[in-house]
Amino acid sequence: MPSYSSWNGVKMSAQKFLLTDVLKTELGFQGFLISDYNAIDILDPDYKRAIAISVNAGMDMVMIAGKHREFVRDLKELVAEGSVRSRASTTR
């Protein structure tokens, strides 16, 4: 679970280098990354952009409260726009 902390000024839930490049690719992590509780809320004031940042960084599941309908709607739009790739179409 990536935390609320930051590394080199980038929040862990947005940290593509560590989540995808190092953990998943270099180290071969086959597990499941779930965000900390509402952690994407601190990534960007634009909620839809925050979703894209975190998912594109390598987050497999986002833990949210109270915004699930907005999250699903925005994520579907991001996939349709091509801003986020469907995990079904990607391989590790």
Side-chain angles (χ1 to χ4, degrees), residues 9-90:
V10 178
K11 294 292 183 189
M12 289 305 298
S13 291
Q15 189 57 260
K16 182 185 180 299
F17 173 70
L18 292 178
L19 300 181
T20 297
D21 300 344
V22 174
L23 184 63
K24 291 182 176 184
T25 304
E26 186 178 326
L27 299 176
F29 178 72
Q30 296 288 316
F32 190 79
L33 292 177
I34 183 170
S35 73
D36 215 334
Y37 184 79
N38 287 337
I40 65 167
D41 290 352
I42 60 175
L43 299 182
D44 195 281
D46 180 325
Y47 190 61
K48 186 174 176 180
R49 180 166 155 69
I51 294 168
I53 290 168
S54 188
V55 172
N56 286 330
M59 197 68 68
D60 296 307
M61 182 176 172
V62 178
M63 189 175 0
I64 55 172
K67 295 185 187 180
H68 61 281
R69 286 183 177 87
E70 182 181 358
F71 177 86
V72 170
R73 181 199 66 224
D74 288 349
L75 183 57
K76 285 180 177 180
E77 288 177 8
L78 288 163
V79 171
E81 295 164 5
S83 300
V84 167
R85 289 182 53 192
S86 168
R87 293 284 196 237
S89 67
T90 61

